[in-house]
Amino acid sequence: MIGSVELNLRETELCLGLPGGDTAALVTGNKRGFSETVDLKLNLNNEPESKEGSTTHHEVVTSVSKEKSSCPKDPAKPPAKAQVVGWPPVRSYRKNVMGSCQKSSGGTEATAAFVKVSMDGAPYLRKVDLKMYKSYDELSSALANMFSSFTMGKNGGEEGMIDFMNERKLKDLVNSWDYVPSYEDKDGDWMLVGDVPWPMFVDTCKRLRLMKGSDAIGLAPGAMEKCKSRA
Amino acid sequence: MPQDRPQMSEDDDGQSPPLDLRSAAIADPCSSSPNKSRNCIPSGAMTSQAFPDHVLENVLENVLQFLDSRSDRNAASLVCKSWWRVESLTRSEVFIGNCYALSPARLTQRFKRIRSLLLKGKPRFADFNLMPPDWGANFAPWVSTMAKAYPWLEKVDLKRMFVTDDDLALLADSFPGFKELILVCCEGFGTSGIAIVANKCRKLKVLDLIESEVSDDEVDWISCFPEDVTNLESLAFDCVEAPINFKALESLVGRSPFLKKLRLNRFVSLEELHRLLLGAPQLTSLGTGSFSHDNAPQSEQEPDYAAAFRACKSVVCLSGFRELMPEYLPAIFPVCANLTSLNFSYANVSPDMFKPIIHNCHKLQVFWALDSICDEGLLAVAATCKELRELRIFPFDPREDSEGPVSEVGLLAISEGCRNLESILYFCQRMTNAAVITMSENCPELTVFRLCIMGRHRPDHVTGKPMDEGFGAIVKNCKKLTRLAVSGLLTDQAFRYMGEYGKLIRTLSVAFAGDSDMALRHVLEGCPRLQKLEIRDSPFGDVALRSGMHRYYNMRFVWMSACRLSKGCCRDIARAMPNLVVEVIGSDDDEDNRDYVETLYMYRSLDGPRKDAPKFVTIL
């Protein structure tokens, strides 16, 4: 699990990633409108485990932090950043009160939308509050944070990169490390993440699963059609 | 708002009913061998000749009734059976730090004359949504048991308990002399329950609802107070999110001559506040409500708000400002010089608005605010408030990646200017070891140090190093430190410091910190006074948990969530320590997570595992 990493740590970061891998581009560039697919990229630190065999979580760096340091500071709209339940530790009572006072942001809602997130092969589930995020990008950053520790453990730092599904690779299932983000909707069907507008997704998603690419064949990409037929 | 919670020793209302005093003085002082025969027999006490123990116990009663401090009482009760018995008879105020540490029946069996109960329920991390709702901490079994056992109950002070309207109704019905109801961070009830208390508790002096969730049952509870003069001394309802009948409130205040503390909610406007203040100049503590208008200012002349404040010569504690209109802030100038406590933590006050105000507050001891006052505002505090004891700076924008208007600059300034600082809670986006070290050197009186660097794993933003040395200096130099909350990038070294130097630490909060089991081991093998340990999202596992088994019976609780614990280890501990309740809290039936422990909450208990655990709690 990794949090934010400040500018001054960039020098010490070792990253394995795509050459010229300015990951900021991925998030902003090649997305089509609403049908963004979740694109998770993990740049794992290949530092040898010098600390008596203990894996140090904070050495795993995610793409988010780099994106953050390259974006100009804009107080009104900070760049996408993973949010974690109950952090910072401000009591929900106070958060709710401040939320109603804040004019800029949307304010915090009292209810949360917790869904379980499982990743095939990971030893345990996590939970996320979908209402903490405003877009698929933010969610993907959060998931990258959460599951980076597993991938590090799995690969022993050798693979260095987990390439989560983007739209191109949906059809290319050769690389067995690909994970397809899928979700279970209100009807109990398993759909691919990214086809419906974000607010609709928050509403219908009951559970998330990052499936191994090979298992994802046959998942319905036609969530949009399904929703339309229901409406 | 800083709760003016009475210290144990200040509770002089909690005297036991008059004791059955034997008439003459006893010549012999209490001795430790009660079978020694007495030289002097009080006249008229014929039976004492045959039963010297009774004589001794009466002497004890006379003496022990003056013991107020609960640690003194606990010590006294351990002397011998006789002392235990008498202490139990004379204790009038009881404090229960964990409602599941014992059953209500045990309480009433031991203590027969309780007038005042302080009861705490959920662990603190429940405030941050780390625990599903309906976990427990129900007040119901307590109130129903006490209803039969303590008809003379006068005070109930609950924190993080689940209280229903029915509970409040039972309370109002069962205790004719009931005087004080204080609900802090509670939930489960609404304005209808409050209405019942207001109506039936005719001797009510204190009704304090603090940071609790109170549902709006659309009941005009203010009108439910009895018509005649009340005994009210304190009325705090700033957390009640429901409109209030202002006419009824004005009338209530008018017929409450003893009212000293009044905390209004945000549904009371500035004009209404003005009217109230003119009618209650004797107030010492005021929560101002919204501090704004609903509509545009009236066409008629605006009330002289400053005059109203000028009339309140006794106000020393000011809070509220829930929907502050900053142009009216100068109205509080007249009271600034007297203020010992100021809470701006719900007001988005900028440095420019703030500085003229704080400039007058020379006597300030307690100050809560949002970080909107910026480092600049903190410099102003440091320059003026030389008597400052407690500082809390909350984030206006409580997200990890938000702008950080306060930083090490503000902390440094405070440490330079406020040398008597005892307690600090500081949210920021960036910090340096140097500033924290300086504070540790400048503020030796610190007992509470809670620093929250909001970005997880964030290092010293100047040197890039972990925050180990800063927190290390705090535990080394602040020799009176009893409560510590850490944050930022921390390695095992920080915990080595804590374990070695944190001699008086009772409460420790850890989040996203440490490298390995060694960190937690340092703490569990050190920190001799540790009582409350709450950890989240840190890489501590079974080895570390096992290393603390020698001390879990001496702690109130241990909370570990999103760490690396296995069910097997927790089960082992539960088996090895039968008086420890080991709760594993999952979100629902987590079939996929057979061995992983999402949340561990364990605590000592005299009465075994609780019977009201919900489905998602597994007690091992």
Side-chain angles (χ1 to χ4, degrees):
Chain A
M1 283 240 293
I2 190 64
S4 60
V5 178
E6 292 294 79
L7 272 165
N8 48 30
L9 268 192
R10 286 185 78 194
E11 286 80 50
T12 58
E13 283 172 6
L14 295 177
C15 282
L16 295 183
L18 283 176
D22 182 3
T23 53
L26 279 167
V27 184
T28 51
N30 49 357
K31 299 289 182 189
R32 356 157 260 190
F34 278 128
S35 305
E36 309 163 292
T37 48
V38 178
D39 188 306
L40 298 173
K41 253 193 179 338
L42 292 179
N43 294 310
L44 296 181
N45 195 330
N46 201 24
E47 200 171 305
E49 293 180 353
S50 52
K51 296 191 168 120
E52 285 89 44
S54 63
T55 39
T56 51
H57 276 237
H58 57 260
E59 288 174 14
V60 176
V61 176
T62 68
S63 58
V64 182
S65 51
K66 293 183 90 181
E67 177 205 307
K68 176 187 167 202
S69 48
S70 57
C71 284
K73 278 267 188 192
D74 179 2
K77 268 249 169 289
K81 178 71 175 75
Q83 302 280 355
V84 166
V85 173
W87 187 264
V90 175
R91 296 195 48 240
S92 20
Y93 170 76
R94 182 173 282 280
K95 265 189 185 156
N96 290 342
V97 170
M98 292 321 303
S100 56
C101 290
Q102 279 179 18
K103 287 148 201 151
S104 51
S105 77
T108 49
E109 284 186 35
T111 54
F114 283 101
V115 297
K116 286 198 231 185
V117 186
S118 60
M119 183 168 111
D120 287 0
Y124 49 85
L125 297 183
R126 301 312 304 262
K127 284 203 111 171
V128 288
D129 177 2
L130 290 180
K131 294 220 170 134
M132 302 278 288
Y133 312 104
K134 299 193 193 64
S135 67
Y136 285 112
D137 291 341
E138 290 189 18
L139 176 64
S140 87
S141 311
L143 295 179
N145 268 347
M146 276 181 199
F147 289 105
S148 58
S149 52
F150 302 137
T151 50
M152 172 106 173
K154 255 171 123 64
N155 307 333
E158 288 147 14
E159 286 281 330
M161 176 149 80
I162 300 298
D163 197 359
F164 281 72
M165 293 308 288
N166 60 29
E167 191 206 295
R168 284 198 310 275
K169 292 228 171 123
L170 256 170
K171 293 158 191 135
D172 179 4
L173 302 173
V174 172
N175 184 346
S176 64
W177 289 118
D178 282 346
Y179 282 87
V180 179
S182 58
Y183 70 100
E184 184 180 5
D185 70 3
K186 277 184 181 151
D187 302 334
D189 300 324
W190 284 90
M191 319 288 285
L192 285 175
V193 170
D195 282 345
V196 302
W198 174 257
M200 192 184 298
F201 172 72
V202 172
D203 227 16
T204 52
C205 173
K206 287 283 155 275
R207 200 185 155 126
L208 273 166
R209 181 178 162 201
L210 303 176
M211 308 172 84
K212 279 251 191 76
S214 40
D215 295 338
I217 306 168
L219 263 194
M224 190 62 111
E225 282 69 22
K226 180 177 175 185
C227 291
K228 280 183 186 149
S229 65
R230 239 190 274 130
Chain B
M1 189 56 222
Q3 301 115 34
D4 317 78
R5 300 171 77 86
Q7 301 299 318
M8 293 296 161
S9 50
E10 284 171 28
D11 184 19
D12 55 5
D13 239 21
Q15 294 296 333
S16 306
L19 299 170
D20 180 22
L21 301 173
R22 300 287 164 158
S23 39
I26 311 293
D28 282 357
C30 290
S31 75
S32 49
S33 48
N35 291 324
K36 206 179 190 178
S37 58
R38 302 267 170 260
N39 293 333
C40 178
I41 313 286
S43 58
M46 299 290 281
T47 48
S48 62
Q49 224 165 349
F51 304 99
D53 286 354
H54 278 305
V55 169
L56 174 66
E57 290 203 0
N58 282 316
V59 171
L60 273 178
E61 274 192 68
N62 289 339
V63 171
L64 290 186
Q65 67 171 314
F66 295 107
L67 270 187
D68 288 323
S69 134
R70 69 173 191 264
S71 52
D72 285 349
R73 283 191 159 270
N74 291 345
S77 68
L78 292 176
V79 170
C80 63
K81 275 214 174 101
S82 189
W83 281 55
W84 188 91
R85 208 163 29 237
V86 175
E87 193 283 313
S88 301
L89 281 176
T90 56
R91 191 182 295 224
S92 64
E93 175 160 11
V94 69
F95 169 82
I96 298 174
N98 175 6
C99 64
Y100 287 122
L102 70 156
S103 66
R106 186 179 288 265
L107 170 72
T108 54
Q109 272 156 28
R110 175 167 172 186
F111 297 111
K112 299 295 181 192
R113 294 181 188 159
I114 294 297
R115 290 287 174 106
S116 165
L117 171 74
L118 268 90
L119 185 60
K120 293 190 180 180
K122 291 190 238 187
R124 197 177 72 96
F125 274 7
D127 290 351
F128 313 126
N129 294 335
L130 290 182
M131 185 181 248
D134 308 323
W135 172 81
N138 299 301
F139 183 48
W142 294 91
V143 66
S144 59
T145 307
M146 290 194 303
K148 301 178 199 118
Y150 302 141
W152 304 117
L153 192 69
E154 291 179 358
K155 175 177 170 185
V156 165
D157 183 336
L158 305 178
K159 188 165 188 181
R160 290 195 192 94
M161 296 287 298
F162 190 84
V163 183
T164 65
D165 292 328
D166 289 337
D167 297 336
L168 293 176
L170 184 58
L171 183 145
D173 274 330
S174 312
F175 309 117
F178 196 74
K179 291 186 180 150
E180 297 186 44
L181 180 64
I182 301 167
L183 300 176
V184 181
C185 302
C186 295
E187 57 175 350
F189 62 101
T191 46
S192 42
I194 299 302
I196 302 174
V197 172
N199 186 249
K200 296 206 174 160
C201 299
R202 299 269 151 162
K203 302 243 168 82
L204 199 64
K205 286 195 321 187
V206 173
L207 178 59
D208 281 354
L209 307 171
I210 297 169
E211 294 196 14
S212 294
E213 273 201 45
V214 184
S215 72
D216 179 6
D217 303 331
E218 296 184 16
V219 169
D220 181 4
W221 60 276
I222 288 278
S223 300
C224 293
F225 281 96
E227 288 293 318
D228 17 297
V229 169
T230 76
N231 296 313
L232 277 179
E233 294 176 15
S234 173
L235 178 63
F237 59 95
D238 41 353
C239 62
V240 176
E241 289 292 305
I244 214 88
N245 177 343
F246 180 69
K247 263 193 80 191
L249 176 63
E250 201 178 3
S251 159
L252 177 67
V253 171
R255 61 184 196 278
S256 302
F258 307 110
L259 193 66
K260 289 275 185 284
K261 300 181 185 175
L262 180 62
R263 300 216 189 115
L264 309 167
N265 69 5
R266 64 181 179 86
F267 291 88
V268 179
S269 72
L270 199 44
E271 300 110 320
E272 290 170 340
L273 172 68
H274 178 257
R275 276 167 60 182
L276 282 178
L277 287 182
L278 292 176
Q282 81 281 10
L283 291 177
T284 59
S285 172
L286 175 66
T288 63
S290 69
F291 217 82
S292 72
H293 298 297
D294 289 330
N295 329 301
Q298 316 298 320
S299 50
E300 33 181 289
Q301 192 168 10
E302 257 199 327
D304 185 356
Y305 297 121
F309 279 94
R310 222 173 287 126
C312 294
K313 297 193 184 313
S314 321
V315 165
V316 293
C317 176
L318 197 57
S319 62
F321 309 102
R322 296 280 170 140
E323 290 167 357
L324 173 69
M325 280 183 176
E327 56 269 34
Y328 292 104
L329 204 49
I332 71 169
F333 273 139
V335 297
C336 285
N338 294 331
L339 286 182
T340 56
S341 173
L342 177 59
N343 182 351
F344 272 155
S345 68
Y346 292 102
N348 186 9
V349 185
S350 73
D352 291 330
M353 285 178 227
F354 172 68
K355 287 186 340 188
I357 304 279
I358 201 70
H359 191 61
N360 298 324
C361 301
H362 297 100
K363 290 194 190 162
L364 210 57
Q365 295 176 20
V366 176
F367 180 57
W368 293 19
L370 289 177
D371 58 5
S372 58
I373 64 171
C374 302
D375 283 331
E376 202 185 327
L378 288 171
L379 260 79
V381 173
T384 313
C385 308
K386 299 301 180 189
E387 300 304 313
L388 198 69
R389 278 181 0 226
E390 178 180 327
L391 176 70
R392 297 199 193 188
I393 300 296
F394 295 94
F396 173 68
D397 185 358
R399 290 178 301 166
E400 284 185 73
D401 54 349
S402 59
E403 271 293 296
V406 300
S407 68
E408 76 276 5
V409 173
L411 192 77
L412 210 44
I414 292 290
S415 78
E416 309 265 308
C418 308
R419 300 294 175 116
N420 295 323
L421 198 65
E422 293 174 8
S423 169
I424 182 166
L425 169 63
Y426 197 84
F427 282 84
C428 57
Q429 290 288 355
R430 55 197 185 285
M431 187 47 60
T432 63
N433 280 306
V436 178
I437 293 171
T438 306
M439 174 158 267
S440 78
E441 291 162 353
N442 288 347
C443 303
E445 301 297 315
L446 278 174
T447 55
V448 175
F449 185 80
R450 297 158 68 190
L451 176 64
C452 181
I453 303 168
M454 291 198 273
R456 288 166 280 155
H457 310 286
R458 207 168 271 177
D460 178 325
H461 80 97
V462 166
T463 66
K465 294 213 171 97
M467 292 299 299
D468 296 343
E469 294 308 312
F471 285 103
I474 290 287
V475 290
K476 273 187 223 165
N477 299 333
C478 301
K479 307 222 191 291
K480 300 185 182 179
L481 198 73
T482 56
R483 182 169 179 184
L484 179 65
V486 300
S487 61
L489 181 64
L490 292 171
T491 71
D492 289 352
Q493 178 60 35
F495 294 86
R496 179 175 283 129
Y497 288 139
M498 286 180 233
E500 187 176 340
Y501 297 104
K503 299 262 188 272
L504 297 183
I505 293 181
R506 286 174 38 96
T507 308
L508 180 64
S509 301
V510 176
F512 304 100
D515 298 327
S516 73
D517 283 344
M518 271 320 294
L520 181 54
R521 287 184 59 184
H522 286 312
V523 167
L524 290 173
E525 289 164 9
C527 295
R529 297 279 173 97
L530 193 62
Q531 287 290 301
K532 298 180 265 184
L533 181 60
E534 44 190 32
I535 301 174
R536 64 167 295 183
D537 293 277
S538 299
F540 309 145
D542 297 345
V543 172
L545 192 65
R546 280 185 222 274
S547 73
M549 281 173 72
H550 63 287
R551 62 184 313 180
Y552 295 139
Y553 279 156
N554 293 327
M555 293 175 66
R556 192 183 296 174
F557 71 80
V558 173
W559 168 291
M560 288 179 67
S561 59
C563 296
R564 294 194 192 164
L565 301 173
S566 74
K567 274 216 184 97
C569 172
C570 296
R571 206 170 275 124
D572 290 346
I573 292 185
R575 259 188 230 123
M577 305 183 73
N579 285 331
L580 199 67
V581 175
V582 178
E583 293 194 13
V584 170
I585 304 168
S587 18
D588 17 62
D589 324 88
D590 264 330
E591 278 316 306
D592 311 345
N593 285 351
R594 264 185 213 108
D595 204 39
Y596 174 65
V597 172
E598 174 72 41
T599 300
L600 166 74
Y601 179 53
M602 60 188 195
Y603 49 90
R604 61 187 171 192
S605 171
L606 293 173
D607 289 311
R610 58 190 175 113
K611 312 261 184 319
D612 62 355
K615 261 194 351 210
F616 52 81
V617 170
T618 313
I619 299 183
L620 298 175

